[in-house]
């Protein structure tokens, strides 16, 4: 089956080069220049992969990616002239599958698209929901590791990468007290580059998000001088 790719790019010359490289590899390419057109296209017909420019006439590709990731895991490859590390990190944190910088090699672009599609076919999305508390507790979470999302009281949490990893780590062993250093080891790829204060900052924003959904529960507990734990039962 021919994979259908939606190319969102406002620069006709770039779209032409990318489109040619992809159609030569047998992909079916639909080209749109605006975010609003792309959104309409995505609603109208399913596609297998999205190639997304960041600087678009009607907004930022990152905003589209953010909206998409609320309920879609369609593979996204960012194609951008901006090589700023921040954009790259943000794009990947928001759930992009790959990032290619302009100017790009058309063959490399096609190869990367193929690699993403191969990965997603080989690892079809599996919903791996873990009910942390099997009985109907007052406090409970659902972790979906494939989508890297966590629901709290049936409400999806809009988490940053670090908040997600922190909460997932705490939920893996409810009631266990994790020291800040242990949390950093679990969550940060290079803990030495961060400070233990970062844990406090992310815990604070995480708490605020949980409070928005249920202000009474406050499941994350602070153990003075020790660290944090999470409470997931309603028995206290
Ligand atoms: Ca552009």
């Amino acid at each position: 089956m021919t994979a259908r790719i939606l190319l969102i790019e406002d620069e006709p010359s770039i779209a032409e080069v990318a489109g040619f490289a992809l159609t030569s590899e047998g992909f079916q390419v639909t080209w749109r220049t605006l975010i609003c057109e792309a959104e309409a296209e995505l609603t109208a017909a399913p596609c297998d992969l999205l190639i997304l420019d960041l600087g678009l006439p009607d907004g930022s590709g990152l905003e589209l990616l953010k909206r998409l990731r609320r309920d879609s895991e369609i593979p996204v490859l960012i194609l951008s002239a901006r090589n700023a590390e921040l954009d790259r990190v943000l794009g990947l944190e928001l759930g992009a599958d790959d990032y290619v910088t302009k100017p790009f090699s058309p063959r490399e672009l096609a190869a990367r698209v193929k690699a993403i599609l191969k990965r997603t076919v080989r690892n079809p999305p599996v919903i791996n929901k873990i009910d942390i508390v099997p009985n109907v507790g007052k406090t409970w979470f659902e972790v979906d590791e494939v989508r890297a999302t966590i629901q709290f009281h049936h409400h999806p949490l809009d988490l940053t990468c670090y908040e997600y990893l922190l909460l997932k780590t705490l939920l893996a062993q409810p009631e266990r007290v994790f020291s800040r250093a242990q949390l950093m080891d679990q969550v940060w790829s290079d803990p030495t580059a961060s400070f233990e204060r970062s844990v406090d900052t992310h815990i604070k924003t995480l708490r605020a998000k949980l409070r928005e959904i249920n202000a009474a529960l406050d499941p994350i507990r602070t153990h003075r001088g020790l660290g944090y734990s999470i409470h997931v039962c309603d028995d206290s």
Side-chain angles (χ1 to χ4, degrees):
M1 200 182 72
T2 315
R4 185 168 170 269
I5 294 170
L6 180 59
L7 171 64
I8 311 168
E9 169 61 67
D10 60 319
E11 199 65 59
S13 57
I14 293 173
E16 199 179 322
V17 172
F20 181 75
L22 295 164
T23 45
S24 310
E25 293 288 342
F27 295 115
Q28 188 196 330
V29 180
T30 305
W31 173 39
R32 293 289 179 268
T33 54
L34 296 174
I35 290 176
C36 58
E37 291 174 343
E39 284 184 312
E41 183 62 38
L42 283 167
T43 320
C47 78
D48 301 294
L49 185 139
L50 214 127
I51 296 181
L52 181 62
D53 180 23
L54 292 188
L56 291 159
D58 62 339
S60 159
L62 289 176
E63 284 302 315
L64 171 63
L65 175 61
K66 205 168 162 184
R67 283 200 293 279
L68 266 178
R69 279 293 175 261
R70 284 182 199 147
D71 56 10
S72 161
E73 53 191 304
I74 180 173
V76 173
L77 181 148
I78 293 177
L79 182 61
S80 177
R82 308 191 212 167
N83 191 23
E85 195 195 351
L86 187 64
D87 275 337
R88 186 184 281 266
V89 170
L90 201 59
L92 296 173
E93 266 196 14
L94 286 173
D97 296 84
D98 204 349
Y99 195 108
V100 173
T101 309
K102 298 174 193 168
F104 59 93
S105 136
R107 285 175 68 179
E108 187 191 346
L109 179 72
R112 291 207 191 200
V113 164
K114 275 198 246 173
I116 297 174
L117 289 171
K118 216 166 162 184
R119 275 206 305 269
T120 39
V121 170
R122 201 180 293 154
N123 303 312
V126 180
I127 297 176
N128 178 22
K129 285 189 174 173
I130 306 162
D131 280 347
I132 302 291
V133 181
N135 57 342
V136 184
K138 263 200 254 166
T139 311
W140 62 283
F141 293 86
E142 279 176 25
V143 180
D144 181 344
E145 294 204 50
V146 173
R147 292 190 174 85
T149 56
I150 299 178
Q151 293 208 2
F152 180 50
H153 275 243
H154 303 292
H155 293 274
L157 291 162
D158 186 14
L159 302 174
T160 66
C161 170
Y162 290 136
E163 289 165 355
Y164 166 76
L165 292 170
L166 267 176
L167 186 53
K168 197 178 88 160
T169 303
L170 290 168
L171 285 170
Q173 295 176 61
E175 311 301 333
R176 172 182 163 177
V177 179
F178 288 89
S179 70
R180 289 176 178 80
Q182 284 167 335
L183 289 172
M184 286 187 64
D185 274 348
Q186 291 292 317
V187 172
W188 273 261
S189 49
D190 180 10
T192 51
S194 285
F195 297 98
E196 293 193 5
R197 281 269 165 243
S198 321
V199 173
D200 297 346
T201 311
H202 291 286
I203 289 279
K204 197 173 156 195
T205 53
L206 194 49
R207 272 194 170 128
K209 288 177 183 179
L210 297 177
R211 220 175 289 130
E212 271 174 31
I213 293 169
N214 189 324
L217 292 174
D218 201 17
I220 298 178
R221 294 179 174 179
T222 307
H223 301 266
R224 220 169 276 282
L226 293 172
Y228 298 99
S229 69
I230 196 157
H231 185 73
V232 296
C233 304
D234 57 355
D235 55 3
S236 69

